[in-house]
Amino acid sequence: MKYSITIALAVLLVSTKGIADISPTTKNEITHLLEFVQNTTCKYERNGEMHAGSEAVEHIQKKYDYFQDKVKSTEDFIRYSATKSELSGKHYRIHCKGEAVQNSSSWLLKELNAYRQSTH
């Protein structure tokens, strides 16, 4: 029994390692960007298919969970979780009414900069 508890605790520590390595500020910024994507009225293009923000955020969250150990900054989060398809290599693109289509990384970095300015 004691051995099982030790293994369970070890697995928990390993699985949360990536989360523990980032600062509270970075955690807040990532949470903000996930909410930003969730609530957008823009369409998120992934591999030629259009997705609502709620669909896009689910995909980004899955990629974030996968790449968590590599994420040390909010810019890392954008690079690993919300920039391009790992399979096709195609960049995610954002379609907002009345605006030019843009890569998701540019769109998210612009929002990150606005968020940072509003919190300082």
Side-chain angles (χ1 to χ4, degrees), residues 10-22 68-72:
V11 168
L12 179 62
L13 287 173
V14 169
S15 68
T16 59
K17 180 187 175 298
I19 296 171
D21 288 347
I22 63 173
Q68 244 175 24
D69 61 331
K70 294 183 178 189
V71 174
K72 305 295 181 225

Side-chain angles (χ1 to χ4, degrees), residues 33-34 36-61 63 77-85 90-97 101-109:
L33 290 178
L34 288 169
F36 176 70
V37 173
Q38 172 75 35
N39 296 319
T40 188
T41 58
C42 300
K43 296 295 181 192
Y44 214 91
E45 180 185 348
R46 196 175 82 236
N47 290 323
E49 293 184 20
M50 299 298 229
H51 300 275
S54 58
E55 296 167 321
V57 81
E58 286 178 25
H59 182 74
I60 292 168
Q61 183 67 56
K63 286 186 74 174
F77 163 76
I78 293 169
R79 183 179 318 109
Y80 289 111
S81 306
T83 297
K84 66 180 181 173
S85 169
K90 290 182 181 179
H91 285 266
Y92 303 149
R93 306 201 14 103
I94 305 300
H95 299 256
C96 299
K97 190 173 184 173
V101 176
Q102 57 189 312
N103 285 341
S104 62
S105 58
S106 300
W107 184 68
L108 289 171
L109 287 169

